Amino acid sequence: MKNSLKIVLLLMLFATIISCKQQQARMPVSRSSGTFMKESVIRNKKLIAGEEGKIDSIIKSNPKIQYIASNKGYWYHYETKNDKDTLRPKKGDVAQFDYEIKDLKGNVVYSEVELRPQTYRVDKQNIMMGLRDGIKLMRKNEKVTFLFPSHMAFGYHGDNKRIGSNQPLICTVTLTDFKPEEKVKTEN
């Protein structure tokens, strides 16, 4: 009996020790290697480099025009410059502008007549990313031509009408007026 009690106690001690052993984590059934993201980054870099190459050839084809590179990744030049005024649209202002959209070959995609007039609440409405930034660079009565790579235009999606996927664009914008939002509310 003493032996059988010792055996039972040893078995219980052994079972306790075994049950306290930590289980190792199982490996996942499938692993993500990250190659899709790496390939996507490479594809996008090639796309942007190709678009910037086309834009660069447009810039170099007419050396008389002084293009300015923005820090946001697009280029622009003034067709009509207003050096008298110093004010530029800021967040909350209501801007009135006309614009025309062309492809990089110079073919009109949307004419100014089709798109006019435009009213835009600066940084409070959703418009093309490049225009959102470009309008804030302009002064009243200025006319500016912008060269937008596709990621600053309508991007991968296009506009579901005439602008295709990943299409860089030329936009000529005339800022006719802008006023603070409060002043526009009191006028209406």
Side-chain angles (χ1 to χ4, degrees), residues 121-152:
R121 288 180 177 7
V122 179
D123 287 343
K124 290 188 174 186
Q125 280 181 280
N126 192 18
I127 63 171
M128 186 186 337
M129 188 183 306
L131 282 180
R132 192 178 314 144
D133 188 65
I135 286 174
K136 291 188 282 188
L137 297 174
M138 299 176 70
R139 296 180 183 113
K140 190 175 178 180
N141 297 320
E142 283 187 332
K143 186 174 188 176
V144 178
T145 296
F146 297 95
L147 302 175
F148 295 127
S150 64
H151 66 275
M152 293 300 292

Side-chain angles (χ1 to χ4, degrees), residues 25-135:
R26 297 181 323 161
M27 295 301 287
V29 175
S30 65
R31 292 185 188 180
S32 176
S33 65
T35 57
F36 175 77
M37 289 302 289
K38 291 174 187 174
E39 290 170 358
S40 179
V41 167
I42 292 168
R43 224 180 5 259
N44 285 335
K45 284 182 178 181
K46 285 180 184 177
L47 174 73
I48 291 170
E51 290 176 2
E52 288 178 351
K54 290 175 185 176
I55 290 172
D56 191 48
S57 68
I58 291 171
I59 292 170
K60 288 179 179 176
S61 70
N62 197 345
K64 293 179 184 177
I65 297 176
Q66 181 67 37
Y67 280 92
I68 301 165
S70 77
N71 57 1
K72 300 282 185 170
Y74 61 87
W75 295 260
Y76 63 98
H77 77 89
Y78 290 92
E79 292 192 26
T80 307
K81 192 163 180 152
N82 177 358
D83 291 325
K84 294 177 185 174
D85 292 328
T86 57
L87 296 177
R88 298 173 197 262
K90 61 185 182 306
K91 184 176 182 173
D93 287 348
V94 178
Q96 305 282 323
F97 67 97
D98 297 322
Y99 74 117
E100 176 179 73
I101 300 175
K102 296 179 184 176
D103 62 18
L104 290 187
K105 295 177 182 173
N107 301 316
V108 176
V109 179
Y110 289 106
S111 71
E112 186 177 313
V113 174
E114 289 178 273
L115 298 174
R116 89 166 68 148
Q118 294 289 315
T119 301
Y120 167 60
R121 288 180 177 7
V122 179
D123 287 343
K124 290 188 174 186
Q125 280 181 280
N126 192 18
I127 63 171
M128 186 186 337
M129 188 183 306
L131 282 180
R132 192 178 314 144
D133 188 65
I135 286 174

Side-chain angles (χ1 to χ4, degrees), residues 1-11:
M1 189 126 122
K2 282 186 176 183
N3 284 340
S4 63
L5 185 60
K6 284 183 183 179
I7 293 173
V8 170
L9 286 174
L10 281 174
L11 286 174

